[in-house]
Amino acid sequence: MSGQTQAHSSRILLTGRGAVMVMLAVFALGLFGASWTPWPVLAGAFFVIGSVAAVIYVRPGDLLMVTIVPPLLFGITLLVVKAATATGNVVLSVAEGTAITMAEVAPWLFAGMALTLVIAWARGLGGCIRELRQDLRATGRRPADHQPHDRRPPDRQPEATAASRPGPAAADPPPPAA
């Protein structure tokens, strides 16, 4: 075995679910650290670390999922951490803490997502997107609002009954009221 093949085969590759769990743990650690210390920058730094680590160590086939999930996962984790560390009125504490934390980490979220997308693109995200498009075209899927209600082929559509067909009786005006 060559040195390059041996080094490549010893690299850790996570599944998509494993990468999501890594992000969840790193985000929670950063958010708890930011809640317990006077350094709110920890939450943003840990977002960047978790997102980048996940996209570096995930299998290439799961890159699309790992690039979409971080903001949603961070938001959910933020709500849970704020609820767990809330004092006084829980609803007010969670709402205020979430708004303040999101304002403090917004530049970090932007930077983390930009870096994640750059790394994912270099690792083959474009191929994942092309594959998804081809799969969607091959199966003939369309968005739900464009799907016909009756999915039977045109030659298998049910015949309209005489009662459902408009005829001369439907065109006649109603009789005058007595």
Side-chain angles (χ1 to χ4, degrees):
M1 213 184 234
S2 72
Q4 183 182 10
T5 308
Q6 198 172 30
H8 183 68
S9 64
S10 65
R11 183 173 176 201
I12 298 171
L13 290 179
L14 298 171
T15 63
R17 291 181 197 158
V20 168
M21 293 307 295
V22 166
M23 283 189 286
L24 180 66
V26 172
F27 295 169
L29 185 64
L31 287 165
F32 275 119
S35 293
W36 295 330
T37 66
W39 304 314
V41 74
L42 283 177
F46 274 68
F47 175 80
V48 173
I49 292 167
S51 299
V52 168
V55 83
I56 288 173
Y57 291 109
V58 74
R59 294 182 314 184
D62 292 328
L63 279 170
L64 187 58
M65 181 183 68
V66 173
T67 56
I68 294 171
V69 168
L72 178 64
L73 189 61
F74 184 81
I76 292 169
T77 308
L78 176 61
L79 287 172
V80 170
V81 168
K82 291 299 176 186
T85 59
T87 57
N89 184 347
V90 175
V91 174
L92 184 60
S93 179
V94 168
E96 180 183 2
T98 301
I100 290 170
T101 302
M102 288 300 278
E104 291 172 341
V105 301
W108 290 91
L109 296 177
F110 180 78
M113 284 309 301
L115 187 57
T116 298
L117 288 171
V118 167
I119 294 169
W121 196 263
R123 290 200 59 220
L125 179 62
C128 292
I129 294 170
R130 276 190 299 279
E131 183 179 322
L132 175 64
R133 283 184 179 167
Q134 289 171 353
D135 288 347
L136 290 175
R137 282 188 197 125
T139 59
R141 291 186 186 169
R142 291 182 282 175
D145 58 347
H146 292 104
Q147 288 285 350
H149 295 291
D150 192 355
R151 296 181 184 192
R152 290 181 257 186
D155 60 68
R156 299 279 186 193
Q157 294 291 329
E159 292 289 323
T161 61
S164 67
R165 287 188 203 141
D172 293 342

